[in-house]
Amino acid sequence: FLLFLKLENKTKGKLQKQICQVVLDHFEKQYTTELGDAWTSVRDVLTYPLCWQYAVLINKFSQPAELENTLCVKGYHPAFQGSLPYLPASLKCYIRRTPGRFPAQKHQAGKLKEYYLLNAASLLPVLALEVKDGEDVLDLCAAPGGKSVAMLQCACPGQFHCNEYDDLRSRWLKQTIESFIPDPLIGLITVSKLDGRQIGDLKPELYDKVLVDAPCSNDRSWLFSSDTQQAMLRLIQRKELSSLQFQLLRSAIKALRPGGSLVYSTCTLSKAENSDVINLILNSYSNVMPVDISNMAKAVSQEFTFLSGMQQHELLVLPEKGRAWGPMYVAKLKKM
């Protein structure tokens, strides 16, 4: 028991990270304007990691025998219990209302992990994309690989292309795939390190579905930047992110076959990186149409809090106590 207490205190010590004041001040100004009263409760969750929750995505390829029973005993229940437009039976994710994290599993060569720990809101882009067996799929900015793993829980694509430009993140992506996906299926997966802005020119009209989980200002981690100089630099460079996101989306549209769909997601609350980027795309292309995802949002409204006033093709998950998921922005488009 004493050992357990020591471990618990050690974990709490790790969680009680220092808030970066420069970032918090910047967010206060921006998000009070953009979110109004909702920002106060969102800020309370983002600045207090002890109330964060983690979902457990079960890996169907390792068929963990007792895991689901163990999770139920520990107070977890299946997420996504509403009647969703798309919810394959093979996608199993467990969540619980109370904060805390199920123990992580270490990477072991040749041994598949039984589960992936993630923010439950990260699965919404996967559910919105609706990947079916045999479709050709591109995950344009795939690291660390959680959404790629989740898509492979849902369906078996014809070809599955996971791309990550950043060198370190690309290695992380490869390790994630090795940890979760068995050998025969790994043969169907292409992992590349291309500049996502060029993929559309290199592979025009090759894919049925594209996920653009774009590089963004990661509100959760930025708030705990330990280096103030780096934080200030990030905030200065933040203005350039929407331009990069727009270019990635343009590339994704080129890579899509006519009739194909695209999902864009970020883990920021920032309107400049979310709705503004999508509106710019819709205003720039006559052959790209918004796709209504409001039914999906309605079906999961028991588990997630959404910002009101969004358009039908988009949603923004707001973290709140007891439902500390997000931030997560999701928008869906179709190429005609």
Side-chain angles (χ1 to χ4, degrees):
F1 178 69
L2 283 172
L3 182 66
F4 175 75
L5 274 183
K6 271 185 188 168
L7 282 170
E8 197 175 40
N9 289 335
K10 201 173 175 184
T11 311
K12 279 187 179 172
K14 270 185 192 168
L15 284 172
Q16 283 166 338
K17 301 178 277 191
Q18 287 298 112
I19 298 278
C20 181
Q21 198 57 47
V22 177
V23 175
L24 184 58
D25 291 346
H26 180 89
F27 284 1
E28 282 283 359
K29 211 176 288 177
Q30 181 180 348
Y31 295 147
T32 303
T33 307
E34 290 181 13
L35 304 175
D37 294 341
W39 166 240
T40 311
S41 56
V42 170
R43 182 191 57 210
D44 289 348
V45 170
L46 292 183
T47 55
Y48 188 59
L50 290 176
C51 75
W52 294 1
Q53 292 155 275
Y54 295 86
V56 182
L57 175 67
I58 291 180
N59 184 16
K60 71 175 182 183
F61 302 112
S62 74
Q63 295 174 328
E66 283 301 303
L67 180 59
E68 288 185 68
N69 289 340
T70 305
L71 287 166
C72 291
V73 167
K74 290 186 177 292
Y76 284 82
H77 62 271
F80 314 119
Q81 290 174 307
S83 54
L84 272 89
Y86 171 87
L87 182 63
S90 53
L91 182 77
K92 290 184 176 179
C93 177
Y94 281 78
I95 58 175
R96 63 176 181 180
R97 289 280 168 165
T98 48
R101 194 178 193 149
F102 203 66
Q105 291 181 311
K106 282 199 164 65
H107 172 73
Q108 290 175 274
K111 190 170 190 285
L112 293 183
K113 289 187 181 182
E114 296 183 341
Y115 55 87
Y116 190 97
L117 298 179
L118 76 174
N119 185 322
S122 301
L123 293 176
L124 295 179
V126 174
L127 293 172
L129 195 59
E130 301 188 25
V131 175
K132 309 280 196 315
D133 286 347
E135 288 181 328
D136 297 326
V137 180
L138 167 64
D139 190 348
L140 192 71
C141 316
K147 293 180 182 71
S148 299
V149 166
M151 282 189 261
L152 290 165
Q153 304 301 314
C154 294
C156 182
Q159 56 167 314
F160 192 38
H161 182 177
C162 300
N163 181 67
E164 179 53 55
Y165 185 48
D166 180 85
D167 197 44
L168 186 68
R169 287 173 64 82
S170 179
R171 290 204 293 274
W172 190 5
L173 169 66
K174 278 183 183 154
Q175 191 180 82
T176 302
I177 288 169
E178 278 169 28
S179 289
F180 287 91
I181 310 303
D183 275 342
L185 200 55
I186 282 185
L188 299 175
I189 303 169
T190 306
V191 179
S192 67
K193 242 172 48 171
L194 300 165
D195 182 336
R197 293 169 292 188
Q198 292 166 4
I199 282 183
D201 290 325
L202 296 169
K203 299 180 182 293
E205 300 196 346
L206 208 65
Y207 302 100
D208 303 298
K209 302 277 167 75
V210 179
L211 175 65
V212 184
D213 186 42
C216 65
S217 43
N218 185 328
D219 296 351
R220 275 190 191 232
S221 68
W222 281 25
L223 274 166
F224 296 94
S225 307
S226 50
D227 182 339
T228 309
Q229 294 300 112
Q230 187 201 35
M232 287 166 79
L233 189 63
R234 273 176 173 170
L235 292 173
I236 291 163
Q237 292 171 338
R238 191 180 199 202
K239 296 182 186 75
E240 295 159 25
L241 279 169
S242 54
S243 167
L244 168 65
Q245 291 153 350
F246 179 73
Q247 290 170 60
L248 288 169
L249 277 168
R250 276 188 4 188
S251 174
I253 290 162
K254 277 185 192 167
L256 258 189
R257 292 183 179 129
S261 351
L262 175 157
V263 167
Y264 173 73
S265 60
T266 74
C267 53
T268 180
L269 298 160
S270 172
K271 185 171 170 287
E273 297 174 52
N274 295 338
S275 301
D276 289 357
V277 175
I278 291 296
N279 288 338
L280 189 55
I281 285 288
L282 289 170
N283 290 332
S284 306
Y285 287 86
S286 57
N287 65 332
V288 174
M289 297 295 159
V291 178
D292 187 347
I293 55 171
S294 59
N295 282 341
M296 181 186 84
K298 252 183 234 122
V300 297
S301 59
Q302 285 293 304
E303 302 294 0
F304 299 95
T305 304
F306 298 108
L307 180 67
S308 58
M310 302 294 279
Q311 296 182 82
Q312 289 186 317
H313 61 273
E314 59 177 357
L315 57 84
L316 178 62
V317 179
L318 301 178
E320 67 169 35
K321 285 202 172 91
R323 300 198 283 188
W325 314 115
M328 180 60 60
Y329 175 81
V330 183
K332 186 169 185 178
L333 307 173
K334 186 174 178 129
K335 183 176 181 178
M336 306 316 281

